[in-house]
Coordinates of all heavy atoms in Angstrom, one line a residue:
A1141 N -27.5 10.6 42.7 CA -27.0 11.2 41.6 C -27.2 12.6 41.5 O -26.4 13.4 41.2 CB -27.4 10.5 40.2
A1145 N -24.3 15.6 41.5 CA -24.2 16.7 40.6 C -24.4 18.0 41.1 O -23.6 18.9 40.8 CB -25.3 16.4 39.4
C1158 N -14.1 31.5 46.7 CA -13.2 31.6 47.8 C -11.7 31.6 47.4 O -10.8 31.8 48.2 CB -13.5 30.6 49.0 SG -13.1 28.9 48.5
P1162 N -10.9 35.7 44.1 CA -10.0 36.5 45.1 C -8.5 36.5 44.5 O -7.8 37.4 44.6 CB -10.0 35.9 46.4 CG -11.4 35.2 46.4 CD -11.6 34.8 45.1
G1163 N -8.1 35.3 44.0 CA -6.8 35.2 43.4 C -6.7 36.1 42.1 O -5.6 36.9 42.0
S1167 N -4.6 40.2 40.6 CA -3.8 40.3 39.4 C -4.1 41.6 38.7 O -5.0 42.3 38.9 CB -4.2 39.1 38.5 OG -5.4 39.2 38.0
M1176 N -10.0 35.3 32.8 CA -11.4 35.0 32.8 C -12.0 34.6 31.4 O -12.9 33.7 31.3 CB -12.3 36.2 33.3 CG -12.2 36.2 34.8 SD -12.8 34.8 35.7 CE -14.4 34.6 35.2
R1178 N -10.3 33.0 29.2 CA -9.8 31.6 28.9 C -10.7 30.6 29.8 O -11.0 29.5 29.4 CB -8.4 31.4 29.3 CG -7.5 32.3 28.5 CD -7.5 32.0 27.0 NE -6.6 33.1 26.2 CZ -7.0 34.1 25.5 NH1 -8.3 34.3 25.4 NH2 -6.1 34.9 24.9
G1186 N -18.4 19.1 27.8 CA -19.4 18.1 28.1 C -19.5 17.8 29.6 O -20.6 17.6 30.1
L1198 N -31.8 15.4 37.3 CA -31.8 14.4 38.3 C -32.7 14.7 39.5 O -33.2 13.8 40.0 CB -30.3 14.1 38.5 CG -29.4 13.5 37.5 CD1 -28.0 13.6 37.8 CD2 -29.9 12.0 37.3
A1201 N -36.3 14.2 38.5 CA -36.6 12.9 38.3 C -36.6 12.1 39.7 O -37.6 11.4 40.0 CB -35.5 12.2 37.5
P1213 N -41.6 11.5 52.6 CA -41.0 12.5 53.6 C -39.9 13.2 53.0 O -39.7 14.5 53.4 CB -40.7 11.6 54.8 CG -41.6 10.5 54.7 CD -41.8 10.1 53.2
A1214 N -39.3 12.7 52.0 CA -38.1 13.5 51.4 C -38.5 14.4 50.3 O -37.7 15.3 50.0 CB -37.1 12.4 50.8
L1215 N -39.7 14.3 49.9 CA -40.2 15.1 48.7 C -40.1 16.6 49.0 O -39.7 17.4 48.1 CB -41.6 14.8 48.4 CG -42.2 15.2 47.0 CD1 -41.3 15.0 45.9 CD2 -43.6 14.8 46.8
L1226 N -33.0 25.8 40.4 CA -33.5 26.5 39.3 C -33.0 28.0 39.5 O -32.8 28.6 38.4 CB -35.0 26.3 39.3 CG -35.8 27.0 38.1 CD1 -35.3 26.4 36.8 CD2 -37.3 26.8 38.3
V1230 N -31.3 30.4 36.7 CA -31.8 31.7 36.3 C -30.7 32.7 36.5 O -30.5 33.6 35.5 CB -33.0 32.1 37.0 CG1 -33.4 33.4 36.8 CG2 -34.2 31.1 36.6
V1237 N -23.7 34.7 32.5 CA -23.5 34.3 31.1 C -23.4 35.6 30.2 O -22.5 35.8 29.4 CB -24.4 33.3 30.6 CG1 -24.5 33.2 29.0 CG2 -24.3 31.9 31.2
D1241 N -20.3 36.8 28.1 CA -20.3 37.2 26.7 C -19.8 38.5 26.4 O -19.1 38.7 25.4 CB -21.8 37.0 26.1 CG -22.3 35.7 26.2 OD1 -21.5 34.6 26.3 OD2 -23.6 35.5 26.2
G1247 N -12.8 41.5 23.1 CA -11.7 41.4 22.2 C -10.6 40.6 22.9 O -10.6 40.4 24.1
D1254 N -8.2 49.5 26.9 CA -8.5 49.9 28.3 C -9.0 48.6 29.0 O -10.1 48.5 29.4 CB -9.6 51.0 28.4 CG -9.8 51.6 29.8 OD1 -9.0 51.2 30.7 OD2 -10.6 52.5 30.0
A1260 N -13.7 46.4 35.0 CA -14.6 47.1 35.9 C -16.0 46.8 35.6 O -16.8 46.7 36.4 CB -14.4 48.6 35.9
R1268 N -20.3 39.1 42.8 CA -21.4 39.1 43.8 C -22.4 38.1 43.3 O -22.9 37.3 44.3 CB -22.1 40.5 43.7 CG -23.3 40.6 44.5 CD -24.0 42.1 44.4 NE -23.1 43.1 44.3 CZ -23.0 43.9 43.2 NH1 -23.7 43.7 42.2 NH2 -22.2 44.9 43.2
A1274 N -23.2 30.3 44.7 CA -22.6 29.4 45.6 C -23.5 29.1 46.8 O -23.5 28.0 47.3 CB -21.3 30.0 46.0
A1279 N -27.1 25.4 49.5 CA -28.3 25.1 50.2 C -29.0 24.0 49.4 O -29.6 23.1 50.2 CB -29.3 26.4 50.2
V1289 N -31.1 11.4 53.9 CA -31.3 10.9 55.1 C -32.7 10.4 55.3 O -32.9 9.3 55.9 CB -30.8 11.9 56.2 CG1 -31.3 11.5 57.7 CG2 -29.4 12.2 56.1
S1291 N -35.0 9.7 53.2 CA -35.3 8.5 52.2 C -34.7 7.2 52.8 O -35.3 6.2 52.8 CB -34.7 8.9 50.8 OG -35.0 7.9 50.0
G1292 N -33.5 7.3 53.4 CA -32.9 6.1 54.1 C -33.7 5.7 55.2 O -33.9 4.6 55.5
R1293 N -34.1 6.6 56.0 CA -34.9 6.3 57.2 C -36.3 5.7 56.8 O -36.8 4.7 57.5 CB -35.3 7.5 58.0 CG -34.2 8.1 58.7 CD -34.5 9.4 59.6 NE -33.4 9.9 60.2 CZ -33.4 11.0 60.8 NH1 -34.5 11.8 60.8 NH2 -32.3 11.5 61.4
A1294 N -36.8 6.1 55.8 CA -38.1 5.5 55.2 C -38.0 4.4 54.5 O -38.9 3.6 54.2 CB -38.8 6.6 54.4

Side-chain angles (χ1 to χ4, degrees):
C1158 72
S1167 67
M1176 282 307 299
R1178 302 299 178 251
L1198 290 164
L1215 191 57
L1226 183 60
V1230 168
V1237 168
D1241 291 344
D1254 190 0
R1268 181 182 318 116
V1289 168
S1291 182
R1293 286 182 184 166

